[in-house]
Amino acid sequence: MTDAVRERYERFARDEAPGRSALYEEWAHGVASDAGVQAILARIPETRRQPPLVFAVTRMLGAPLLGFPQWRRFLIAHARAVIEECSRRRVQTNEPLRLAPLLPVLSEIDGPIALLEVGASGGLCLYPDRYSFRFVDQAGRMLRPHLDPIGGVSPVVLTSEVRGAMPELRMPEVVWRAGIDLAPLDARDPRDRAWLQGLVWPGETGREERITAALDIVASDPPLMVRGDAVEKVAGVAASAPFDATLVITTPGVLAHIPRSTRAALIDAVRALPARWITIDAPELHDAWRPAVDAATWPGFVVALDGQVRAAADPLGRWWEWRADSGPLRA
């Protein structure tokens, strides 16, 4: 079991933390080389020991933002509390920047739109019409168009890098929004807000401010939030959407946190509904892609509409590359 912990933290230190958080990279390297720490983390249920979750819980409990030796001492001293808290928490990153690679897909869908997100957390990805979008090329030069809500520039400005050609973009008209989550968060609740803010990785410039501003937008006009298993709830929640709007169901980043058997059942349940389905997932996560994607060569995650591959993207939306009109979908 400790081997699984070591491999997961090695992968995080190698593939996920670099460029985002030097401190989390150091902590993950430390875990991967420390059998005693691995033994403690192995006592956490497998689905609750992801590095971002464990690190966020230790910070919430008081771990200092210092090097691995100090973090290790804190973990050992508070092992029971960390294990208990991780066992009841879950990663709920809720990064609104994920909407940047989803925007060109939303632009393909005729509105008005009824937006339903599975794994909605606090609902921050249910408000594409309330945020501003800015796009830059790989050299950092600003691209057009600049997209803003009807009322002007939003307090939340989502800036994302576009690689290659820019497809047609437009602001969606969202007339109804709802979310399903096993443990939904309330943007008006100080404790829930603190947890979402605490999931920001140390060193991620601007991200905490972006999430705080998005929480304020959500709190001013909360969506319908439903607690429960999406396989059981999605049809009922979908039935409450306005009949004269196009129902769009999104699963941005949530499928990785669902066991494979349940994941397939959820995909089938979504596809059975009179709705469009937008997702952004790791290419190896399921086989719903059309055409098939070579996970060994595909850059980043896959963005798809009704299973049809539309773009490659960073999992948190920092960059995306439109591939819907580029012929064979391979790297």
Side-chain angles (χ1 to χ4, degrees), residues 138-214:
Q138 288 181 268
R141 294 182 294 257
M142 193 67 68
L143 301 172
R144 294 287 180 175
H146 293 173
L147 297 176
D148 298 303
I150 293 174
V153 179
S154 170
V156 178
V157 178
L158 305 177
T159 301
S160 183
E161 176 190 308
V162 179
R163 300 178 179 177
M166 175 91 80
E168 180 180 350
L169 301 174
R170 59 177 175 170
M171 291 293 283
E173 179 190 359
V174 181
V175 295
W176 179 88
R177 58 196 98 224
I180 303 172
D181 200 283
L182 290 172
L185 302 177
D186 187 342
R188 299 163 295 183
D189 187 315
R191 294 169 299 179
D192 288 350
R193 291 173 68 98
W195 175 240
L196 281 177
Q197 291 161 333
L199 286 168
V200 175
W201 299 7
E204 291 187 310
T205 305
R207 190 174 174 202
E208 185 171 356
E209 293 81 1
R210 178 168 67 245
I211 287 177
T212 298

Coordinates of all heavy atoms in Angstrom, one line a residue, residues 138-214:
Q138 N 0.9 32.2 -27.3 CA 2.0 31.6 -26.5 C 3.1 32.6 -26.2 O 3.9 32.3 -25.3 CB 2.6 30.4 -27.3 CG 1.6 29.2 -27.3 CD 2.2 28.0 -28.0 OE1 2.0 27.8 -29.2 NE2 2.9 27.1 -27.3
A139 N 3.2 33.7 -26.9 CA 4.1 34.7 -26.5 C 3.6 35.7 -25.5 O 4.3 36.7 -25.2 CB 4.5 35.5 -27.8
G140 N 2.3 35.5 -25.1 CA 1.7 36.4 -24.1 C 1.0 37.6 -24.7 O 0.5 38.5 -24.0
R141 N 0.9 37.7 -26.0 CA 0.2 38.8 -26.7 C -1.3 38.6 -26.6 O -1.8 37.5 -26.8 CB 0.7 38.9 -28.2 CG 2.1 39.3 -28.4 CD 2.5 39.4 -29.8 NE 2.3 38.1 -30.5 CZ 3.3 37.4 -30.9 NH1 4.6 37.8 -30.6 NH2 3.2 36.2 -31.5
M142 N -2.0 39.7 -26.3 CA -3.4 39.6 -26.2 C -4.1 39.4 -27.5 O -3.7 40.0 -28.5 CB -3.9 40.9 -25.5 CG -5.4 40.9 -25.1 SD -5.6 39.8 -23.6 CE -4.7 40.7 -22.3
L143 N -5.1 38.5 -27.5 CA -5.9 38.2 -28.7 C -7.3 38.7 -28.6 O -7.8 39.0 -27.5 CB -5.9 36.6 -28.9 CG -4.5 35.9 -29.0 CD1 -4.8 34.4 -28.9 CD2 -3.8 36.3 -30.3
R144 N -7.9 38.8 -29.7 CA -9.3 39.2 -29.7 C -10.1 37.9 -30.0 O -9.6 37.0 -30.7 CB -9.6 40.2 -30.8 CG -8.9 41.6 -30.5 CD -9.7 42.3 -29.4 NE -9.0 43.6 -29.1 CZ -9.5 44.5 -28.3 NH1 -10.6 44.2 -27.6 NH2 -8.9 45.6 -28.1
P145 N -11.4 37.9 -29.6 CA -12.1 38.9 -28.9 C -11.9 39.0 -27.4 O -11.5 38.0 -26.8 CB -13.6 38.6 -29.2 CG -13.6 37.1 -29.2 CD -12.3 36.7 -29.8
H146 N -12.2 40.2 -26.8 CA -12.4 40.3 -25.4 C -13.9 40.1 -25.1 O -14.7 40.8 -25.7 CB -12.0 41.6 -24.9 CG -10.5 41.9 -25.0 ND1 -9.9 43.1 -24.7 CD2 -9.5 41.1 -25.4 CE1 -8.6 43.0 -24.9 NE2 -8.3 41.8 -25.3
L147 N -14.2 39.2 -24.2 CA -15.6 38.9 -23.9 C -16.0 39.3 -22.5 O -15.3 38.9 -21.6 CB -15.9 37.4 -24.2 CG -15.7 36.9 -25.6 CD1 -16.0 35.4 -25.7 CD2 -16.6 37.6 -26.6
D148 N -17.0 40.0 -22.4 CA -17.5 40.5 -21.0 C -19.0 40.3 -20.9 O -19.7 40.2 -21.9 CB -17.2 42.0 -20.9 CG -15.7 42.3 -20.9 OD1 -15.0 41.7 -20.1 OD2 -15.3 43.1 -21.8
P149 N -19.5 40.2 -19.7 CA -20.9 40.1 -19.4 C -21.6 41.4 -19.9 O -20.9 42.4 -20.2 CB -21.0 40.0 -17.9 CG -19.7 39.5 -17.5 CD -18.7 40.1 -18.4
I150 N -22.9 41.3 -20.0 CA -23.7 42.5 -20.5 C -23.4 43.7 -19.7 O -23.3 44.8 -20.3 CB -25.2 42.2 -20.5 CG1 -25.5 41.0 -21.5 CG2 -26.0 43.4 -20.8 CD1 -26.9 40.5 -21.4
G151 N -23.2 43.6 -18.4 CA -23.0 44.8 -17.6 C -21.6 45.4 -17.6 O -21.3 46.4 -17.0
G152 N -20.6 44.8 -18.4 CA -19.3 45.3 -18.4 C -18.3 44.3 -17.9 O -18.6 43.1 -17.6
V153 N -17.1 44.7 -17.7 CA -16.0 43.9 -17.2 C -16.3 43.3 -15.8 O -16.7 44.0 -14.9 CB -14.6 44.6 -17.1 CG1 -13.5 43.7 -16.6 CG2 -14.3 45.2 -18.5
S154 N -16.2 42.0 -15.7 CA -16.5 41.3 -14.5 C -15.4 41.4 -13.4 O -14.2 41.6 -13.8 CB -16.7 39.8 -14.8 OG -16.8 39.0 -13.6
P155 N -15.7 41.3 -12.1 CA -14.6 41.2 -11.1 C -13.8 39.9 -11.3 O -12.6 39.8 -10.8 CB -15.4 41.1 -9.8 CG -16.7 41.6 -10.1 CD -17.0 41.3 -11.5
V156 N -14.3 38.9 -12.0 CA -13.5 37.7 -12.4 C -13.1 37.8 -13.8 O -14.0 37.7 -14.7 CB -14.4 36.5 -12.1 CG1 -13.6 35.2 -12.5 CG2 -14.8 36.4 -10.7
V157 N -11.8 37.9 -14.1 CA -11.3 38.0 -15.4 C -10.5 36.7 -15.6 O -9.5 36.5 -15.0 CB -10.4 39.2 -15.7 CG1 -9.9 39.2 -17.1 CG2 -11.3 40.5 -15.5
L158 N -10.9 35.8 -16.6 CA -10.3 34.6 -16.8 C -9.4 34.7 -18.0 O -9.8 34.9 -19.2 CB -11.4 33.5 -17.1 CG -12.4 33.3 -16.0 CD1 -13.4 32.3 -16.4 CD2 -11.8 32.9 -14.7
T159 N -8.1 34.6 -17.8 CA -7.1 34.7 -18.9 C -6.5 33.4 -19.2 O -6.0 32.7 -18.3 CB -6.0 35.7 -18.5 OG1 -6.6 37.0 -18.2 CG2 -5.0 35.9 -19.6
S160 N -6.5 33.0 -20.5 CA -6.1 31.7 -20.9 C -5.3 31.8 -22.1 O -5.6 32.6 -23.0 CB -7.3 30.7 -21.1 OG -6.9 29.4 -21.4
E161 N -4.3 30.9 -22.3 CA -3.5 30.9 -23.5 C -4.1 30.0 -24.5 O -4.5 28.9 -24.3 CB -2.1 30.3 -23.1 CG -1.1 30.1 -24.3 CD 0.1 29.4 -23.9 OE1 0.8 29.8 -22.9 OE2 0.4 28.4 -24.6
V162 N -4.2 30.5 -25.8 CA -4.7 29.8 -26.9 C -3.5 29.4 -27.8 O -2.7 30.2 -28.2 CB -5.7 30.6 -27.7 CG1 -6.2 29.8 -28.9 CG2 -6.8 31.1 -26.8
R163 N -3.4 28.1 -28.1 CA -2.4 27.5 -28.9 C -3.0 27.2 -30.3 O -4.0 26.4 -30.3 CB -1.8 26.3 -28.3 CG -1.1 26.6 -26.9 CD -0.5 25.4 -26.3 NE 0.1 25.8 -25.0 CZ 0.7 24.9 -24.1 NH1 0.7 23.6 -24.4 NH2 1.2 25.3 -23.0
G164 N -2.5 27.8 -31.3 CA -3.1 27.6 -32.6 C -4.2 28.5 -32.9 O -4.3 29.6 -32.4
A165 N -5.1 28.1 -33.8 CA -6.2 28.9 -34.3 C -7.3 29.2 -33.3 O -7.5 28.3 -32.4 CB -6.8 28.3 -35.6
M166 N -7.9 30.3 -33.3 CA -9.0 30.7 -32.4 C -10.3 30.4 -33.1 O -10.6 31.0 -34.2 CB -8.9 32.2 -32.0 CG -10.1 32.6 -31.2 SD -9.8 32.5 -29.4 CE -8.8 33.9 -29.1
P167 N -11.2 29.6 -32.6 CA -12.5 29.3 -33.1 C -13.4 30.5 -32.8 O -13.1 31.4 -32.0 CB -13.0 28.1 -32.4 CG -12.3 28.1 -31.1 CD -10.9 28.7 -31.4
E168 N -14.6 30.5 -33.3 CA -15.6 31.5 -33.0 C -16.0 31.4 -31.6 O -16.3 30.3 -31.1 CB -16.8 31.4 -33.9 CG -17.9 32.4 -33.7 CD -19.1 32.3 -34.6 OE1 -19.0 31.5 -35.5 OE2 -20.1 33.0 -34.3
L169 N -16.0 32.6 -30.9 CA -16.4 32.6 -29.5 C -17.5 33.6 -29.3 O -17.6 34.6 -29.9 CB -15.2 33.0 -28.6 CG -14.0 32.1 -28.7 CD1 -12.8 32.8 -27.9 CD2 -14.3 30.8 -28.2
R170 N -18.4 33.3 -28.3 CA -19.4 34.2 -27.9 C -19.8 33.9 -26.5 O -19.6 32.8 -26.0 CB -20.7 34.1 -28.8 CG -21.3 32.7 -28.8 CD -22.5 32.6 -29.7 NE -23.0 31.2 -29.8 CZ -24.2 30.9 -30.3 NH1 -25.0 31.8 -30.8 NH2 -24.5 29.6 -30.4
M171 N -20.4 34.9 -25.8 CA -20.8 34.7 -24.4 C -22.1 33.9 -24.4 O -23.1 34.2 -25.2 CB -21.1 36.1 -23.7 CG -19.8 36.9 -23.5 SD -18.7 36.1 -22.2 CE -19.6 36.5 -20.7
P172 N -22.2 32.9 -23.6 CA -23.5 32.1 -23.5 C -24.5 32.9 -22.8 O -24.3 33.7 -21.9 CB -23.0 30.9 -22.8 CG -21.9 31.3 -21.9 CD -21.2 32.4 -22.7
E173 N -25.8 32.6 -23.1 CA -26.9 33.1 -22.4 C -27.5 32.0 -21.5 O -28.1 31.1 -21.9 CB -28.0 33.5 -23.4 CG -29.3 34.1 -22.7 CD -30.5 34.3 -23.6 OE1 -30.3 34.0 -24.8 OE2 -31.5 34.7 -23.1
V174 N -27.1 32.1 -20.2 CA -27.5 31.1 -19.2 C -28.7 31.6 -18.5 O -28.7 32.6 -17.8 CB -26.3 30.8 -18.3 CG1 -26.8 29.7 -17.3 CG2 -25.1 30.4 -19.0
V175 N -29.8 30.8 -18.6 CA -31.1 31.3 -17.9 C -31.4 30.4 -16.7 O -32.4 30.7 -16.0 CB -32.2 31.2 -18.9 CG1 -32.0 32.2 -20.1 CG2 -32.4 29.8 -19.5
W176 N -30.7 29.4 -16.5 CA -30.9 28.5 -15.3 C -29.6 27.7 -15.1 O -28.9 27.4 -16.0 CB -32.0 27.5 -15.7 CG -32.4 26.5 -14.7 CD1 -33.4 26.6 -13.7 CD2 -31.9 25.1 -14.6 NE1 -33.5 25.4 -13.0 CE2 -32.6 24.5 -13.5 CE3 -31.0 24.3 -15.3 CZ2 -32.4 23.2 -13.1 CZ3 -30.8 23.0 -14.9 CH2 -31.5 22.5 -13.8
R177 N -29.3 27.5 -13.8 CA -28.1 26.8 -13.4 C -28.3 26.0 -12.2 O -29.0 26.4 -11.2 CB -27.0 27.8 -13.3 CG -27.1 28.9 -12.3 CD -26.1 30.0 -12.5 NE -26.6 31.2 -13.2 CZ -26.0 31.8 -14.2 NH1 -24.8 31.4 -14.6 NH2 -26.6 32.8 -14.8
A178 N -27.7 24.8 -12.2 CA -27.9 23.9 -11.1 C -26.7 23.0 -11.0 O -25.9 22.8 -12.0 CB -29.2 23.0 -11.3
G179 N -26.5 22.4 -9.8 CA -25.3 21.6 -9.6 C -25.7 20.4 -8.7 O -26.6 20.4 -7.9
I180 N -25.0 19.3 -9.0 CA -25.2 18.1 -8.1 C -23.8 17.8 -7.5 O -22.8 17.8 -8.2 CB -25.6 16.9 -9.0 CG1 -26.9 17.2 -9.7 CG2 -25.8 15.6 -8.1 CD1 -27.4 16.1 -10.7
D181 N -23.8 17.4 -6.3 CA -22.5 17.1 -5.6 C -22.8 16.2 -4.4 O -23.8 16.4 -3.7 CB -21.8 18.4 -5.2 CG -20.3 18.2 -5.0 OD1 -19.9 17.6 -3.9 OD2 -19.5 18.5 -5.8
L182 N -21.8 15.3 -4.1 CA -22.0 14.5 -2.9 C -21.9 15.4 -1.6 O -22.6 15.1 -0.6 CB -20.9 13.5 -2.8 CG -21.0 12.3 -3.8 CD1 -19.8 11.4 -3.8 CD2 -22.3 11.5 -3.6
A183 N -21.2 16.5 -1.7 CA -21.0 17.4 -0.5 C -21.0 18.8 -1.1 O -19.9 19.5 -1.1 CB -19.8 17.1 0.3
P184 N -22.1 19.4 -1.5 CA -22.1 20.7 -2.1 C -21.7 21.8 -1.1 O -22.0 21.6 0.1 CB -23.6 20.9 -2.6 CG -24.4 20.0 -1.7 CD -23.5 18.8 -1.5
L185 N -21.0 22.8 -1.6 CA -20.5 23.9 -0.8 C -21.4 25.1 -1.1 O -21.8 25.3 -2.2 CB -19.1 24.2 -1.1 CG -18.1 23.0 -0.8 CD1 -16.7 23.4 -1.2 CD2 -18.2 22.5 0.6
D186 N -21.6 25.9 0.0 CA -22.4 27.1 -0.1 C -21.5 28.3 -0.1 O -20.7 28.6 0.8 CB -23.3 27.2 1.1 CG -24.3 28.3 1.0 OD1 -24.1 29.3 0.2 OD2 -25.4 28.2 1.7
A187 N -21.5 29.1 -1.2 CA -20.6 30.3 -1.3 C -20.9 31.3 -0.3 O -20.1 32.2 -0.1 CB -20.8 30.9 -2.7
R188 N -22.1 31.2 0.4 CA -22.4 32.2 1.4 C -21.9 31.8 2.8 O -21.9 32.6 3.8 CB -23.9 32.4 1.5 CG -24.5 32.9 0.2 CD -26.0 32.7 0.1 NE -26.3 31.2 0.1 CZ -27.6 30.7 0.0 NH1 -28.6 31.6 -0.1 NH2 -27.8 29.4 0.0
D189 N -21.4 30.5 2.9 CA -21.0 30.0 4.2 C -19.5 30.2 4.4 O -18.7 29.8 3.6 CB -21.3 28.5 4.3 CG -21.0 27.8 5.6 OD1 -20.0 28.1 6.2 OD2 -21.8 27.0 6.0
P190 N -19.1 30.9 5.5 CA -17.7 31.2 5.7 C -16.8 30.0 5.8 O -15.7 30.0 5.3 CB -17.7 32.0 7.0 CG -19.1 32.6 7.2 CD -20.0 31.6 6.5
R191 N -17.3 28.9 6.3 CA -16.5 27.7 6.4 C -16.3 27.1 5.1 O -15.1 26.6 4.7 CB -17.1 26.7 7.4 CG -17.2 27.1 8.8 CD -18.1 26.2 9.6 NE -19.5 26.2 9.1 CZ -20.5 25.5 9.6 NH1 -20.2 24.7 10.6 NH2 -21.7 25.6 9.1
D192 N -17.3 27.0 4.2 CA -17.2 26.5 2.9 C -16.3 27.4 2.0 O -15.5 26.9 1.2 CB -18.5 26.3 2.2 CG -19.3 25.2 2.8 OD1 -18.8 24.4 3.6 OD2 -20.5 25.1 2.5
R193 N -16.4 28.7 2.2 CA -15.5 29.6 1.5 C -14.1 29.4 1.9 O -13.2 29.3 1.0 CB -15.9 31.0 1.7 CG -17.3 31.5 1.1 CD -17.6 32.9 1.6 NE -16.7 33.9 1.0 CZ -17.0 34.6 0.0 NH1 -18.2 34.4 -0.7 NH2 -16.2 35.5 -0.5
A194 N -13.8 29.2 3.1 CA -12.4 29.0 3.6 C -11.8 27.7 3.1 O -10.6 27.7 2.7 CB -12.4 29.0 5.1
W195 N -12.7 26.7 3.0 CA -12.1 25.4 2.4 C -11.8 25.5 1.0 O -10.7 25.1 0.5 CB -13.2 24.3 2.6 CG -12.8 23.0 2.0 CD1 -13.5 22.3 1.0 CD2 -11.6 22.2 2.3 NE1 -12.8 21.2 0.7 CE2 -11.7 21.0 1.5 CE3 -10.6 22.3 3.2 CZ2 -10.7 20.1 1.5 CZ3 -9.6 21.3 3.2 CH2 -9.7 20.2 2.4
L196 N -12.6 26.2 0.2 CA -12.3 26.4 -1.2 C -11.0 27.3 -1.4 O -10.2 27.0 -2.3 CB -13.5 27.0 -2.0 CG -14.6 26.1 -2.4 CD1 -15.7 26.8 -3.0 CD2 -14.1 25.0 -3.3
Q197 N -10.9 28.3 -0.6 CA -9.8 29.2 -0.7 C -8.5 28.4 -0.3 O -7.4 28.6 -0.8 CB -10.0 30.4 0.2 CG -11.0 31.3 -0.4 CD -11.6 32.3 0.6 OE1 -11.6 32.1 1.8 NE2 -12.1 33.5 0.1
G198 N -8.7 27.5 0.7 CA -7.5 26.7 1.2 C -7.0 25.6 0.2 O -5.9 25.1 0.3
L199 N -7.9 25.3 -0.8 CA -7.5 24.4 -1.8 C -6.6 25.0 -2.9 O -6.0 24.3 -3.8 CB -8.7 23.7 -2.5 CG -9.5 22.7 -1.6 CD1 -10.8 22.4 -2.2 CD2 -8.6 21.4 -1.5
V200 N -6.4 26.3 -2.8 CA -5.5 27.0 -3.7 C -4.0 26.6 -3.3 O -3.7 26.6 -2.1 CB -5.6 28.5 -3.6 CG1 -4.6 29.2 -4.5 CG2 -7.0 28.9 -4.1
W201 N -3.2 26.2 -4.3 CA -1.9 25.8 -4.0 C -1.0 27.0 -3.7 O -1.1 28.0 -4.3 CB -1.3 25.0 -5.2 CG -2.0 23.8 -5.5 CD1 -3.2 23.3 -5.0 CD2 -1.6 22.8 -6.5 NE1 -3.6 22.2 -5.6 CE2 -2.6 21.8 -6.5 CE3 -0.5 22.7 -7.4 CZ2 -2.5 20.7 -7.4 CZ3 -0.5 21.6 -8.2 CH2 -1.4 20.7 -8.2
P202 N -0.1 26.9 -2.7 CA 0.9 28.0 -2.4 C 1.7 28.3 -3.7 O 2.2 27.5 -4.3 CB 1.8 27.4 -1.3 CG 1.0 26.3 -0.7 CD 0.2 25.7 -1.8
G203 N 1.7 29.6 -4.0 CA 2.5 30.1 -5.1 C 1.7 30.3 -6.4 O 2.2 30.8 -7.4
E204 N 0.4 30.0 -6.4 CA -0.5 30.2 -7.5 C -1.0 31.6 -7.5 O -2.0 32.0 -6.9 CB -1.7 29.2 -7.5 CG -1.2 27.8 -7.7 CD -2.4 26.8 -7.9 OE1 -3.3 26.9 -7.0 OE2 -2.5 26.1 -8.9
T205 N -0.2 32.5 -8.2 CA -0.5 33.9 -8.2 C -1.9 34.2 -8.8 O -2.2 33.8 -9.9 CB 0.6 34.7 -9.0 OG1 1.9 34.3 -8.4 CG2 0.4 36.2 -8.9
G206 N -2.6 35.0 -8.0 CA -3.9 35.4 -8.5 C -5.1 34.5 -8.4 O -6.2 34.9 -8.5
R207 N -4.8 33.2 -8.1 CA -5.9 32.2 -8.1 C -6.8 32.4 -6.9 O -8.0 32.3 -7.0 CB -5.3 30.8 -8.1 CG -6.3 29.8 -8.3 CD -5.7 28.4 -8.5 NE -6.8 27.4 -8.5 CZ -6.6 26.1 -8.3 NH1 -5.4 25.7 -7.9 NH2 -7.6 25.3 -8.4
E208 N -6.2 32.7 -5.7 CA -7.1 32.9 -4.5 C -8.0 34.1 -4.7 O -9.2 34.0 -4.4 CB -6.3 33.0 -3.3 CG -7.1 33.1 -2.0 CD -6.4 33.0 -0.7 OE1 -5.1 32.8 -0.8 OE2 -7.0 33.1 0.4
E209 N -7.4 35.1 -5.3 CA -8.3 36.3 -5.5 C -9.4 36.0 -6.5 O -10.5 36.5 -6.4 CB -7.4 37.5 -6.1 CG -6.4 38.0 -5.1 CD -5.1 37.2 -4.9 OE1 -5.0 36.1 -5.7 OE2 -4.2 37.5 -4.1
R210 N -9.1 35.2 -7.6 CA -10.1 34.9 -8.6 C -11.2 34.1 -8.0 O -12.4 34.3 -8.2 CB -9.4 34.1 -9.7 CG -10.3 33.6 -10.8 CD -9.5 33.1 -12.0 NE -8.8 31.9 -11.8 CZ -7.4 31.8 -11.8 NH1 -6.7 32.9 -12.1 NH2 -6.8 30.7 -11.6
I211 N -10.8 33.1 -7.1 CA -11.8 32.2 -6.5 C -12.7 33.0 -5.5 O -13.9 32.9 -5.4 CB -11.2 31.0 -5.8 CG1 -10.7 30.1 -6.9 CG2 -12.1 30.3 -4.9 CD1 -10.0 28.9 -6.4
T212 N -12.1 33.9 -4.8 CA -12.8 34.8 -3.8 C -13.8 35.6 -4.6 O -15.0 35.8 -4.2 CB -11.9 35.7 -3.0 OG1 -11.0 34.8 -2.3 CG2 -12.6 36.6 -2.1
A213 N -13.4 36.2 -5.7 CA -14.3 37.1 -6.5 C -15.4 36.2 -7.1 O -16.6 36.7 -7.1 CB -13.5 37.8 -7.6
A214 N -15.1 35.0 -7.5 CA -16.2 34.1 -8.1 C -17.1 33.7 -7.0 O -18.4 33.6 -7.2 CB -15.5 32.9 -8.7

